[in-house]
Amino acid sequence: MRPIKNIHGDKAPHWVGDGFYVKTLINHLDDNPHFNYSHTDPFLLFDYGKPTTFDPNPNYKTQPHGVGQHPHKGFETVTIAYEGEISHADSVGGQGIIQKGDVQWMTAGRGIMHEEFHSEAFGKRGGVFSMVQLWVNLPSAHKLTDPNYQSIKRADLPIVELIDSSNPDHQTIIGKAAIIAGAWQEITGAANTFTPINLWDIELHTAGATTLKVPNTHNTLLLVQEGELLVNGTSVSAGNLIQFDAPIQHRTDDQAQQTLATDNIELHYPATENGEQAPVKLLLLSGEPIGEPVAGYGPFVMNTQEELRQTFRDYQTGNFVK
């Protein structure tokens, strides 16, 4: 099993604009001694938006809840809507609505201006809103790639059934995994990525156990989005992000060469006393480290301080997205 290194979840929630109530579970700019970006590379930042109830917004037309126009450069944002809907628009003509269960994979690349609000339909009716947003670094060779969107509908995600490994004779299905990116054995995810990344949206609905296999060269994280379960024997509840030990970086002896290409993550969903199981929702992230220097400030992520200064000059002089 890949050992657990840290569990990130003690950060206080905060508002991003007035539409997204999130806990920033990891941040490449964090000076926390328990966080080291090299152990989460290529994942820069992770915002967990716990389920939050919004009243109907009668002023939606003039005051929608969300975040107005803001810049991004040098990385990608991945947004998953668990409940509610997100409307977006940008400086290169892209716009649309991220509905419940959908994924938006936005490549900021050389630069983009972007805005995100609750959709008009959700704003008017209100209700429970829940989402996550992940920032994924781009390697230097692709830092200045053209901006792009991958709008992935829930119905387009390949689904894998999870079998109860604690009772292999009965082949009981205890959950499912939607493969957003990467591969689960022979099944390939819907998203295209610049570097090797797995992003699996997992739900367990029946008591039992199952094993996730991740490349042993990947940095690996696991979000408990809803519910509580045992991960490698450790109890973890909603709103916590598990950071596993750093992967094996070098193999020099014969024994290491024979090591399996995957590490195991054991999930155990205990049965309740009354037999009723509320679904547990998880998001697995694993990625091959890029291993390059990072110079970041706010919404800009470059490789050097000079590149970062030039980005600020471009933004301040109106040359940012030209």
Side-chain angles (χ1 to χ4, degrees), residues 100-145:
K100 179 179 177 179
D102 293 349
V103 180
Q104 182 202 70
W105 199 297
M106 183 185 83
T107 302
R110 60 181 173 79
I112 196 169
M113 299 295 294
H114 187 238
E115 62 184 40
E116 300 162 293
F117 294 101
H118 293 179
S119 73
E120 182 174 1
F122 178 78
K124 288 180 175 179
R125 73 174 182 266
V128 177
F129 187 89
S130 177
M131 51 77 71
V132 297
Q133 186 171 94
L134 166 70
W135 289 13
V136 181
N137 199 12
L138 285 170
S140 57
H142 299 290
K143 282 285 186 192
L144 302 183
T145 193

Side-chain angles (χ1 to χ4, degrees), residues 39-298:
H39 294 166
T40 67
D41 179 8
F43 307 117
L44 296 157
L45 179 144
F46 194 99
D47 276 346
Y48 162 73
K50 70 176 185 177
T52 302
T53 300
F54 286 84
D55 293 331
N57 179 7
N59 301 316
Y60 179 85
K61 287 292 187 181
T62 56
Q63 295 178 312
H65 293 314
V67 182
Q69 198 170 75
H70 56 282
H72 291 302
K73 183 177 181 178
F75 63 99
E76 302 182 288
T77 67
V78 181
T79 304
I80 304 173
Y82 285 102
E83 296 285 350
E85 299 174 354
I86 306 164
S87 174
H88 71 91
D90 65 47
S91 56
V92 296
Q95 59 181 344
I97 296 176
I98 310 168
Q99 297 181 328
K100 179 179 177 179
D102 293 349
V103 180
Q104 182 202 70
W105 199 297
M106 183 185 83
T107 302
R110 60 181 173 79
I112 196 169
M113 299 295 294
H114 187 238
E115 62 184 40
E116 300 162 293
F117 294 101
H118 293 179
S119 73
E120 182 174 1
F122 178 78
K124 288 180 175 179
R125 73 174 182 266
V128 177
F129 187 89
S130 177
M131 51 77 71
V132 297
Q133 186 171 94
L134 166 70
W135 289 13
V136 181
N137 199 12
L138 285 170
S140 57
H142 299 290
K143 282 285 186 192
L144 302 183
T145 193
D146 289 339
N148 183 51
Y149 282 104
Q150 298 178 72
S151 297
I152 305 169
K153 298 297 183 183
R154 181 71 180 188
D156 295 330
L157 295 175
I159 304 295
V160 176
E161 293 181 336
L162 305 179
I163 305 299
D164 185 9
S165 59
S166 66
N167 191 357
D169 294 336
H170 288 79
Q171 294 292 295
T172 302
I173 298 171
I174 64 169
K176 59 186 178 180
I179 312 305
I180 298 170
W184 183 298
Q185 298 178 2
E186 301 300 319
I187 297 175
T188 302
N192 296 314
T193 64
F194 285 89
T195 58
I197 289 171
N198 290 314
L199 192 61
W200 304 338
D201 192 31
I202 299 167
E203 180 178 314
L204 302 178
H205 52 68
T206 302
T210 194
T211 301
L212 309 179
K213 294 183 178 295
V214 296
N216 64 5
T217 56
H218 281 204
N219 281 321
T220 303
L221 305 166
L222 181 68
L223 171 73
V224 181
Q225 203 268 339
E226 287 187 26
E228 184 173 356
L229 79 166
L230 298 175
V231 180
N232 289 355
T234 298
S235 180
V236 188
S237 58
N240 286 285
L241 182 70
I242 302 166
Q243 176 188 345
F244 294 90
D245 269 1
I248 299 171
Q249 299 293 338
H250 303 287
R251 305 174 186 279
T252 55
D253 56 57
D254 292 340
Q255 184 176 4
Q257 292 289 349
Q258 296 172 7
T259 302
L260 292 175
T262 59
D263 287 335
N264 291 342
I265 297 173
E266 304 289 348
L267 307 180
H268 179 214
Y269 185 26
T272 59
E273 292 183 1
N274 62 11
E276 297 180 359
Q277 301 289 136
V280 168
K281 296 182 180 180
L282 311 165
L283 186 66
L284 178 126
L285 309 76
S286 82
E288 185 174 290
I290 295 172
E292 295 178 347
V294 170
Y297 188 89

